Amino acid sequence: MYAGPNAARPHGLPSRRRLEIGDTLILSLGAAVGSRFVESERTFVIGEPSAAQRAYFDVALRAQEIGTQAMTVGRTCASVNTECLDVIRDAGLGGYIRHRQGHGIGIAQHEAPWVEDGDPTVLAPGMILSSEPGIYIPGHAGYRISDSVLVTADGPERLTRYPRTLEENTIA
Protein backbone atom coordinates (compact mmCIF):
# COMPACT_ATOMS: atom_id res chain seq x y z
CA MET A 1 0.00 0.00 0.00
CA TYR A 2 1.25 3.44 -0.92
CA ALA A 3 -0.52 6.33 0.83
CA GLY A 4 -0.48 10.12 0.85
CA PRO A 5 2.69 11.71 -0.54
CA ASN A 6 4.39 8.28 -0.59
CA ALA A 7 1.87 7.22 -3.27
CA ALA A 8 3.48 9.76 -5.61
CA ARG A 9 6.25 7.17 -6.17
CA PRO A 10 5.21 4.26 -8.40
CA HIS A 11 6.98 1.81 -6.10
CA GLY A 12 7.07 3.70 -2.82
CA LEU A 13 8.69 2.20 0.22
CA PRO A 14 6.91 1.49 3.50
CA SER A 15 7.01 4.26 6.05
CA ARG A 16 5.85 4.88 9.60
CA ARG A 17 3.36 7.50 8.44
CA ARG A 18 -0.18 6.73 9.56
CA LEU A 19 -3.14 6.97 7.20
CA GLU A 20 -5.12 10.19 7.52
CA ILE A 21 -8.53 11.44 6.45
CA GLY A 22 -8.05 12.98 3.01
CA ASP A 23 -5.28 10.58 1.96
CA THR A 24 -5.17 8.96 -1.43
CA LEU A 25 -3.78 5.43 -1.33
CA ILE A 26 -2.93 2.75 -3.84
CA LEU A 27 -3.52 -0.86 -2.87
CA SER A 28 -1.68 -3.54 -4.87
CA LEU A 29 -3.14 -7.03 -5.02
CA GLY A 30 -1.81 -10.09 -6.76
CA ALA A 31 -2.07 -13.85 -6.86
CA ALA A 32 -0.28 -16.83 -8.33
CA VAL A 33 -2.17 -19.93 -9.47
CA GLY A 34 -0.41 -22.82 -11.15
CA SER A 35 2.76 -20.73 -11.50
CA ARG A 36 0.85 -17.99 -13.34
CA PHE A 37 0.38 -14.50 -11.98
CA VAL A 38 -2.28 -11.81 -12.01
CA GLU A 39 -2.03 -8.33 -10.57
CA SER A 40 -4.53 -5.64 -9.76
CA GLU A 41 -4.24 -2.21 -8.19
CA ARG A 42 -6.83 0.29 -7.09
CA THR A 43 -6.72 3.85 -5.85
CA PHE A 44 -8.75 4.73 -2.76
CA VAL A 45 -9.51 7.98 -0.98
CA ILE A 46 -10.06 8.13 2.77
CA GLY A 47 -12.96 10.46 3.51
CA GLU A 48 -14.78 12.74 1.08
CA PRO A 49 -12.64 13.19 -2.06
CA SER A 50 -11.56 16.73 -2.89
CA ALA A 51 -12.18 18.24 -6.32
CA ALA A 52 -8.51 17.64 -7.20
CA GLN A 53 -8.68 13.99 -6.10
CA ARG A 54 -11.81 13.49 -8.19
CA ALA A 55 -10.15 15.08 -11.24
CA TYR A 56 -6.94 13.04 -10.94
CA PHE A 57 -8.87 9.82 -10.31
CA ASP A 58 -11.09 10.46 -13.34
CA VAL A 59 -8.10 10.92 -15.65
CA ALA A 60 -6.42 7.76 -14.33
CA LEU A 61 -9.64 5.77 -14.74
CA ARG A 62 -10.22 7.06 -18.30
CA ALA A 63 -6.62 6.32 -19.30
CA GLN A 64 -6.85 2.80 -17.92
CA GLU A 65 -10.20 2.15 -19.63
CA ILE A 66 -9.03 3.45 -23.01
CA GLY A 67 -5.72 1.64 -22.68
CA THR A 68 -7.41 -1.62 -21.76
CA GLN A 69 -9.91 -1.40 -24.62
CA ALA A 70 -7.01 -0.74 -27.02
CA MET A 71 -5.45 -4.12 -26.17
CA THR A 72 -6.80 -5.82 -29.28
CA VAL A 73 -5.39 -8.38 -31.67
CA GLY A 74 -3.17 -6.80 -34.31
CA ARG A 75 -2.28 -3.63 -32.37
CA THR A 76 1.34 -3.02 -31.36
CA CYS A 77 2.31 -2.56 -27.74
CA ALA A 78 3.71 0.87 -28.64
CA SER A 79 0.45 2.07 -30.23
CA VAL A 80 -1.62 0.85 -27.27
CA ASN A 81 0.71 2.63 -24.83
CA THR A 82 0.53 5.88 -26.81
CA GLU A 83 -3.27 5.84 -26.96
CA CYS A 84 -3.47 5.17 -23.23
CA LEU A 85 -0.93 7.73 -22.05
CA ASP A 86 -2.24 10.38 -24.45
CA VAL A 87 -5.35 10.53 -22.23
CA ILE A 88 -3.10 11.70 -19.39
CA ARG A 89 -1.12 14.04 -21.64
CA ASP A 90 -4.29 15.54 -23.15
CA ALA A 91 -5.52 16.30 -19.62
CA GLY A 92 -2.38 18.40 -19.08
CA LEU A 93 -0.86 15.85 -16.69
CA GLY A 94 1.91 14.43 -18.90
CA GLY A 95 4.55 15.67 -16.47
CA TYR A 96 3.16 13.26 -13.86
CA ILE A 97 3.63 10.08 -15.92
CA ARG A 98 6.38 7.91 -14.40
CA HIS A 99 6.06 4.62 -16.32
CA ARG A 100 4.62 2.78 -19.29
CA GLN A 101 1.06 1.47 -19.50
CA GLY A 102 1.96 -2.12 -18.77
CA HIS A 103 3.82 -5.35 -19.40
CA GLY A 104 3.36 -9.02 -20.11
CA ILE A 105 2.36 -11.37 -17.30
CA GLY A 106 3.17 -15.06 -17.29
CA ILE A 107 5.64 -17.26 -15.47
CA ALA A 108 7.43 -14.11 -14.41
CA GLN A 109 5.15 -11.47 -12.96
CA HIS A 110 6.77 -8.81 -15.16
CA GLU A 111 7.94 -9.98 -18.57
CA ALA A 112 7.90 -9.06 -22.23
CA PRO A 113 6.16 -7.77 -24.13
CA TRP A 114 6.39 -4.27 -22.68
CA VAL A 115 3.37 -2.06 -23.33
CA GLU A 116 5.55 0.98 -23.88
CA ASP A 117 6.84 3.29 -26.56
CA GLY A 118 9.17 1.49 -28.94
CA ASP A 119 7.88 -2.07 -28.40
CA PRO A 120 6.77 -3.28 -31.84
CA THR A 121 5.26 -6.53 -30.51
CA VAL A 122 1.92 -7.23 -32.17
CA LEU A 123 -0.80 -8.36 -29.76
CA ALA A 124 -2.12 -11.86 -30.34
CA PRO A 125 -4.85 -13.98 -28.73
CA GLY A 126 -3.75 -15.58 -25.48
CA MET A 127 -1.38 -12.83 -24.36
CA ILE A 128 -1.88 -11.59 -20.81
CA LEU A 129 -0.88 -8.00 -20.11
CA SER A 130 -1.13 -5.52 -17.29
CA SER A 131 -2.93 -2.26 -17.93
CA GLU A 132 -1.64 0.08 -15.23
CA PRO A 133 -1.18 3.69 -16.26
CA GLY A 134 -0.57 6.07 -13.40
CA ILE A 135 -0.41 9.71 -12.45
CA TYR A 136 2.07 10.66 -9.70
CA ILE A 137 1.89 14.16 -8.21
CA PRO A 138 4.91 14.90 -5.96
CA GLY A 139 3.94 16.02 -2.46
CA HIS A 140 0.33 14.94 -3.02
CA ALA A 141 -0.28 11.32 -4.11
CA GLY A 142 -0.47 8.83 -6.93
CA TYR A 143 -3.43 7.46 -8.88
CA ARG A 144 -3.14 4.04 -10.53
CA ILE A 145 -5.81 1.56 -11.57
CA SER A 146 -4.46 -1.75 -12.82
CA ASP A 147 -5.92 -4.94 -14.20
CA SER A 148 -4.56 -8.11 -15.74
CA VAL A 149 -5.99 -8.36 -19.25
CA LEU A 150 -6.33 -11.36 -21.57
CA VAL A 151 -6.12 -10.50 -25.28
CA THR A 152 -8.80 -12.47 -27.14
CA ALA A 153 -10.09 -12.56 -30.72
CA ASP A 154 -13.26 -10.91 -29.37
CA GLY A 155 -11.40 -8.11 -27.57
CA PRO A 156 -9.73 -7.57 -24.22
CA GLU A 157 -11.01 -9.48 -21.19
CA ARG A 158 -10.23 -8.24 -17.69
CA LEU A 159 -9.13 -11.09 -15.46
CA THR A 160 -9.27 -8.92 -12.34
CA ARG A 161 -12.58 -7.40 -11.37
CA TYR A 162 -12.26 -5.41 -8.15
CA PRO A 163 -14.54 -2.31 -8.18
CA ARG A 164 -13.12 0.57 -10.19
CA THR A 165 -15.10 3.75 -9.49
CA LEU A 166 -14.19 6.45 -6.98
CA GLU A 167 -17.53 6.00 -5.25
CA GLU A 168 -16.76 2.30 -4.71
CA ASN A 169 -13.21 3.10 -3.59
CA THR A 170 -13.94 5.86 -1.10
CA ILE A 171 -13.38 4.81 2.48
CA ALA A 172 -15.81 6.72 4.68
Side-chain angles (χ1 to χ4, degrees):
M1 171 180 59
Y2 314 112
N6 196 33
R9 296 184 208 122
H11 300 288
L13 298 172
S15 74
R16 295 185 184 271
R17 184 182 176 280
R18 292 183 158 285
L19 295 174
E20 300 175 9
I21 300 294
D23 274 352
T24 300
L25 64 100
I26 299 171
L27 182 59
S28 295
L29 307 164
V33 176
S35 300
R36 300 290 181 174
F37 291 92
V38 294
E39 62 181 52
S40 179
E41 295 167 307
R42 293 296 185 264
T43 298
F44 295 83
V45 174
I46 301 174
E48 184 62 30
S50 69
Q53 287 171 315
R54 287 181 184 283
Y56 293 137
F57 189 98
D58 181 59
V59 172
L61 182 62
R62 274 188 292 128
Q64 204 265 350
E65 180 63 27
I66 287 170
T68 298
Q69 293 308 314
M71 292 178 161
T72 57
V73 173
R75 296 279 309 264
T76 66
C77 286
S79 71
V80 170
N81 182 70
T82 297
E83 185 172 347
C84 175
L85 297 187
D86 276 352
V87 173
I88 298 169
R89 292 182 193 106
D90 291 348
L93 302 173
Y96 299 126
I97 296 170
R98 300 285 177 261
H99 58 75
R100 62 184 170 252
Q101 178 188 353
H103 54 81
I105 301 174
I107 303 261
Q109 193 168 1
H110 294 81
E111 62 184 36
W114 308 107
V115 186
E116 66 182 1
D117 294 340
D119 189 327
T121 303
V122 176
L123 300 184
M127 289 179 162
I128 299 177
L129 308 166
S130 72
S131 180
E132 55 180 281
I135 303 167
Y136 305 94
I137 302 95
H140 170 64
Y143 296 80
R144 182 171 64 241
I145 299 163
S146 170
D147 287 299
S148 296
V149 179
L150 173 64
V151 177
T152 77
D154 296 326
E157 178 186 340
R158 281 190 177 92
L159 301 177
T160 46
R161 294 184 171 83
Y162 194 84
R164 311 168 52 67
T165 68
L166 182 57
E167 291 71 32
E168 295 168 303
N169 293 326
T170 296
I171 302 168

